[in-house]
Every structure is written in structure tokens, then in C-alpha cells.
Amino acid sequence: MAIYQLPSKRWKTNVWFAGKKVKTKTFSTKELAQRFEREEIRNLEFTDSGGITHKEYKYSELFELWFKNAQLFKRPTSLAKDIQMNRVYVHPIIGNLGTREINSTVLNQIIYSMKARELKISSINNVIQHFKAVLNWATREELIIKNPSMNYRQLKETRKEMKFWSEEEVTTFLRHTNLFYTGEKRWIHVFYLLLFTTGMRLGEALGLQWHQVDWNNDSIYICQMWGVLENKLIPSTKGKSDRRVPLQEQLKYELRQFKATHTGKFIFDSGTGVPVDANNLRTRFWNKDIQKAGLRRIRIHDARHTFATIFLSKTNDIQSLKVFLGHQSITTTQLYTHFVQSKISEYTKVMNWDFTHEANVISLRKA
């Protein structure tokens, strides 16, 4: 027993740590013995095997050290969110606490304060991910011995229903844009066709350059994206890994015709050396084109969901879809459904819609 009563009615505490008895002391009451044991174990947890006591950092100090490291690999927009989450939600509760003072009960106060503001569960979970990232990093860097958030879990949330179009709705939309956009505005139809046939994210499509199109192997190499908020080209994708997607036949034909008269740096160049503006694309074209086609409203990002669901309905290949979407984990791809693997060359004819017979479309935008 670690704590027991002696014949003299005093209470004895044997403090055990890492399988060894390290301290022994007697007290007049059991409560004092228990308090001594807790404090000694906590002190030992912050002492390494060589007997050197580590500095007890305040959480605010750990955040500053973590932030300097995060600047090496995180996007400015993500860093701005980290600063905001720390300033508004985390620092007021634990910023001035030492890491020994932080435990699940204290961390719960952050959650209670956010619930009091009636924030969404997804927003609360973002903050949990944030302070766990700081404390996990501090543990890996051996700035702290024990991670107070190690067993702290995110809140359960009901996932929102994913929006996407059916194959018939995509056909209706592309038939409309195929007829409507000719001449200098043909690029808009080509842009839509790219989204629905590759599942690219908006930033990846905007940042696409001609050298990424592999005409001989019918694929597009995705290795960069346009940072809409940063307004610059970012030499990586959201998933931090390059990938190839199939170059569908209709898209290949359109891009070849487009390239013949287009000399911009980006495929969807605005004429000023940067891609077309994402907000203008949404408000001036995407939303209006959906309305004109008589379809239910979806976001540009939902074209990616549409690609995934139609692709799976035709191929049952979740492993290839994971690669094409650039997911780091198959769990994310499984949100669409469960299927099997094949090769990229088998999918160049999968995402096809019958709309080209309705218009003579080869009238291209000038460079």
C-alpha cells in the first residue's frame, strides 16, 4: 500500500514512481498523506531520469515557441486563425498557468466558455485541435514531460449532409454553359468542365499552369495551388502531397484548343499575370449560371463532391478516388462510400457527359 495507518495512529506515505519507492513520510491525517503523495508524484513527473528538474513553462510561453516553429510550415491564413483562437478562447483561461496546473478540469473551462457563447461544435473542436497541437509539440520537444491534453478528446458532432449534383444535373449545367460560353468567355465552360471531371479544389484549379498537363499520358499533375486569401501561388497542395488525376477526353480537347490561342502564365489567367478572381467567379458566373440552368444551388467546392460520388457510382474504386482527391487518409474518402482499386489509365473516359452535340463550341478566348 502507498498510504496506510501505523499502530501509532499516524499515516505513512510511500511514494512510488517508475516502479521504485522514492520517498517515505508520516502524517497526522490521511488527507495530509494523500496531498503529499500527489505533490511528490507531480514533481517527479517534471524531473528527468538524471534528477534535473525541467523549467515549468507557462502555456503562453509554449504557445510563443510553438508559433515560431509553426511559421516554418503553416500558411499565413492558418497562422492567423491560430492567433485568434489563442487570443480569444485559450489564453484567457490557461495562458498564465504553468503546465503542472493544466488538467482536464481546467481545459474543460475553455469548452464551457465557448459553449456559453453558443459556438458551433465544429468551432469548439478547432480550438481543441489547436491547444492539443501546442501541447503535443511541446511534449515532442521535451519542453514538458507530461502532456496535460494527452487524453483530451474532441466533442462529437453530427456531420452535415454533403451536397452534390446527380449526373443528370451536371449534364444539364454543362449543356447550358457549353452553349452559352463561346468566344472570349469559353474559358468559363472549360473551368467548370475541369472541376467536374477532376475533383480539383478551387485553389488547385486556379493555380493550374500549362506545364502540369501531361498530354501524352492523359493526366494532370497537381503540385501547387493559388492561395485565394494570400493572393499568391503556393508550391504545395492542401494535403502537402503531389498527385495526378485523369485528363478526360472532352477536357483534353477543350484545353488543346484553348492553348492554341492562350499565352497566359496560368491556364485560367486574368490577363494580368495572376489567375481569375475567385470571388468574381462565384458571384458573376457560377451562381448566375446555376440559376439560368434552373438547378439547385451548390458551392463551387461541391463540384468536388459531385465528381467523387459520380466517379464511385461508375467505378466502385475508393482507393483510386483517394489518390485523385489528394486525401491523406482513406477515412476521409470513405465519407463517399466503400469500393476497390484500379489504374489511372482506366479512368480517362469515366467522367464524360453528352452535351457537345448541341453546339459548335470551338470559338476561343483571345490571349
Side-chain angles (χ1 to χ4, degrees), residues 3-65:
I3 300 176
Y4 56 94
Q5 193 173 29
L6 299 169
S8 63
K9 303 301 182 182
R10 290 178 65 82
W11 289 86
K12 187 171 184 176
T13 301
N14 292 326
V15 180
W16 291 78
F17 187 76
K20 296 180 180 181
K21 186 166 68 172
V22 294
K23 281 198 178 182
T24 299
K25 195 171 183 179
T26 59
F27 297 89
S28 58
T29 66
K30 184 178 181 179
E31 289 73 19
L32 290 173
Q34 290 172 330
R35 183 186 303 172
F36 174 78
E37 182 186 44
R38 287 195 301 268
E39 290 178 352
E40 285 300 315
I41 289 176
R42 187 170 62 179
N43 289 335
L44 288 165
E45 287 174 339
F46 283 83
T47 304
D48 64 21
S49 59
I52 300 173
T53 301
H54 288 252
K55 172 185 175 180
E56 183 177 9
Y57 288 90
K58 290 183 178 181
Y59 180 84
S60 59
E61 294 176 307
L62 293 179
F63 173 79
E64 292 298 327
L65 293 170

Side-chain angles (χ1 to χ4, degrees), residues 67 70-84 225 227 229-232 234 240:
F67 187 79
Q71 288 177 310
L72 300 175
F73 61 90
K74 295 192 75 172
R75 295 175 60 186
T77 50
S78 297
L79 292 170
K81 291 178 183 177
D82 288 317
I83 292 174
Q84 181 186 27
M225 63 181 178
L229 296 178
E230 299 93 332
N231 197 37
K232 68 177 183 179
I234 298 172
K240 305 298 182 183

Side-chain angles (χ1 to χ4, degrees), residues 26-270:
T26 59
F27 297 89
S28 58
T29 66
K30 184 178 181 179
E31 289 73 19
L32 290 173
Q34 290 172 330
R35 183 186 303 172
F36 174 78
E37 182 186 44
R38 287 195 301 268
E39 290 178 352
E40 285 300 315
I41 289 176
R42 187 170 62 179
N43 289 335
L44 288 165
E45 287 174 339
F46 283 83
T47 304
D48 64 21
S49 59
I52 300 173
T53 301
H54 288 252
K55 172 185 175 180
E56 183 177 9
Y57 288 90
K58 290 183 178 181
Y59 180 84
S60 59
E61 294 176 307
L62 293 179
F63 173 79
E64 292 298 327
L65 293 170
W66 171 86
F67 187 79
K68 288 180 180 178
N69 179 72
Q71 288 177 310
L72 300 175
F73 61 90
K74 295 192 75 172
R75 295 175 60 186
T77 50
S78 297
L79 292 170
K81 291 178 183 177
D82 288 317
I83 292 174
Q84 181 186 27
M85 287 188 287
N86 180 68
R87 176 177 56 81
V88 178
Y89 306 117
V90 182
H91 182 80
I93 307 295
I94 65 172
N96 293 319
L97 296 182
T99 49
R100 299 193 211 186
E101 302 174 275
I102 301 173
N103 53 38
S104 295
T105 301
V106 175
L107 294 175
N108 281 339
Q109 294 178 25
I110 300 174
I111 311 309
Y112 297 149
S113 68
M114 296 181 72
K115 284 187 173 181
R117 301 187 187 196
E118 299 183 350
L119 295 178
K120 296 179 181 179
I121 291 179
S122 59
S123 298
I124 296 175
N125 282 338
N126 286 337
V127 173
I128 294 174
Q129 289 176 359
H130 166 72
F131 66 66
K132 281 180 70 72
V134 174
L135 293 169
N136 287 341
W137 175 83
T139 304
R140 290 194 303 272
E141 295 296 312
E142 299 182 351
L143 299 176
I144 59 176
I145 303 301
K146 184 178 180 181
N147 184 347
S149 71
M150 181 173 61
N151 297 318
Y152 204 85
R153 298 180 181 274
Q154 296 183 45
L155 305 182
K156 291 185 178 180
E157 60 179 309
T158 303
R159 186 173 293 275
K160 291 183 179 180
E161 183 179 356
M162 189 179 296
K163 287 187 177 181
F164 54 88
W165 276 344
S166 66
E167 188 173 359
E168 291 73 22
E169 287 173 305
V170 177
T171 301
T172 298
F173 184 70
L174 292 179
R175 281 180 175 172
H176 163 71
T177 60
N178 179 53
L179 289 166
F180 190 76
Y181 291 115
T182 58
E184 294 186 357
K185 289 188 177 181
R186 185 62 181 173
W187 67 270
I188 302 170
H189 171 72
V190 179
F191 188 82
Y192 295 160
L193 186 59
L194 175 80
L195 295 178
F196 283 112
T197 59
T198 65
M200 283 189 199
R201 299 179 179 91
L202 175 59
E204 293 168 345
L206 291 175
L208 200 63
Q209 296 179 326
W210 290 110
H211 68 85
Q212 295 173 249
V213 181
D214 187 342
W215 306 101
N216 296 326
N217 295 305
D218 291 333
S219 66
I220 299 175
Y221 182 50
I222 304 177
C223 56
Q224 60 191 29
M225 63 181 178
W226 183 258
V228 175
L229 296 178
E230 299 93 332
N231 197 37
K232 68 177 183 179
L233 187 65
I234 298 172
S236 65
T237 64
K238 182 180 179 181
K240 305 298 182 183
S241 59
D242 301 347
R243 68 187 191 276
R244 290 184 179 273
V245 297
L247 176 59
Q248 177 251 23
E249 290 181 351
Q250 293 166 328
L251 177 61
K252 181 178 181 180
Y253 176 78
E254 291 279 0
L255 287 175
R256 277 198 180 279
Q257 302 302 313
F258 194 27
K259 191 175 187 300
T261 58
H262 186 83
T263 57
K265 180 179 179 181
F266 296 93
I267 293 181
F268 302 103
D269 197 283
S270 64

